[in-house]
């Protein structure tokens, strides 16, 4: 699975951030778990599903021939609707009482991976800012 972070007394900030991330993604845990299984290709037909989804998306964009502004605004509208409606509908589709300890462990591992990726991007951005300040060609 994934490497879980080993927290000691000095890493309480990281632990709080990870717990906040888990809490923020609580409504999306079933979808995140299924998306993770698809993206890691747990079953042999998952690559075909990914290929079909990307193909349908690009065919839709090609067929509708929307302007960039319209496509961007419709995409943001779809994301906003999904963000609003999924937690409401997800409670009816995925029953909370069917959530198991194994699924919780997988979800925690996914959250740790998301947190580690977030921290990696943050450290990269900080190092780029520091490099720009130290080695600026405009001095």
């Amino acid at each position: 699975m994934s490497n879980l972070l080993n927290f000691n007394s000095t890493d309480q900030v990281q632990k709080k951030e990870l717990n906040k991330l888990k809490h923020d993604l609580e409504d999306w845990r079933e979808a995140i778990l299924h998306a993770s299984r698809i993206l890691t290709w747990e079953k042999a037909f998952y690559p075909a599903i990914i290929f079909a989804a990307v193909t349908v998306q690009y065919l839709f964009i090609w067929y509708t021939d929307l302007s960039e502004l319209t496509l961007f605004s419709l995409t943001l509208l779809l994301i906003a609707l999904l963000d609003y409606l999924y937690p409401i509908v997800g409670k009816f589709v995925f029953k909370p009482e069917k959530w198991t300890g194994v699924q919780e462990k997988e979800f925690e591992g996914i959250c740790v991976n998301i947190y580690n990726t977030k921290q990696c991007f943050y450290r990269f951005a900080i190092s780029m800012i520091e490099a720009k300040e130290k080695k600026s060609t405009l001095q």
Side-chain angles (χ1 to χ4, degrees):
M1 176 102 121
S2 67
N3 310 6
L4 294 178
L5 293 174
N6 294 326
F7 295 110
N8 54 26
S9 60
T10 61
D11 295 332
Q12 291 302 318
V13 173
Q14 288 181 340
K15 191 172 184 178
K16 281 184 180 180
E17 289 177 3
L18 180 62
N19 286 337
K20 183 182 179 323
L21 177 68
K22 280 179 60 177
H23 177 68
D24 291 345
L25 296 176
E26 191 74 25
D27 292 336
W28 289 84
R29 63 185 183 181
E30 287 282 350
I32 289 171
L33 202 61
H34 289 295
S36 174
R37 290 177 180 162
I38 289 173
L39 292 175
T40 55
W41 296 4
E42 282 190 5
K43 296 191 178 173
F45 58 88
Y46 283 164
I49 291 174
I50 294 170
F51 178 77
V54 170
T55 302
V56 166
Q57 178 184 1
Y58 278 102
L59 281 174
F60 175 77
I61 291 170
W62 170 77
Y63 183 73
T64 56
D65 195 27
L66 301 172
S67 69
E68 286 81 13
L69 183 61
T70 305
L71 181 63
F72 182 70
S73 62
L74 285 177
T75 303
L76 290 180
L77 179 65
L78 181 65
I79 290 170
L81 280 172
L82 186 66
D83 186 43
Y84 176 74
L85 292 176
Y86 177 78
I88 297 169
V89 175
K91 291 178 184 174
F92 296 111
V93 174
F94 303 113
K95 302 295 181 193
E97 58 269 3
K98 291 186 179 179
W99 187 255
T100 64
V102 174
Q103 290 173 320
E104 182 65 32
K105 197 169 191 173
E106 286 180 44
F107 177 66
E108 184 176 321
I110 293 167
C111 287
V112 167
N113 285 337
I114 292 171
Y115 177 77
N116 287 338
T117 304
K118 179 182 168 185
Q119 290 295 36
C120 183
F121 281 120
Y122 177 74
R123 279 185 252 123
F124 177 73
I126 294 297
S127 67
M128 290 294 111
I129 291 169
E130 288 174 356
K132 179 66 176 170
E133 288 175 356
K134 290 179 183 175
K135 299 178 182 180
S136 176
T137 57
L138 299 176
Q139 291 180 1

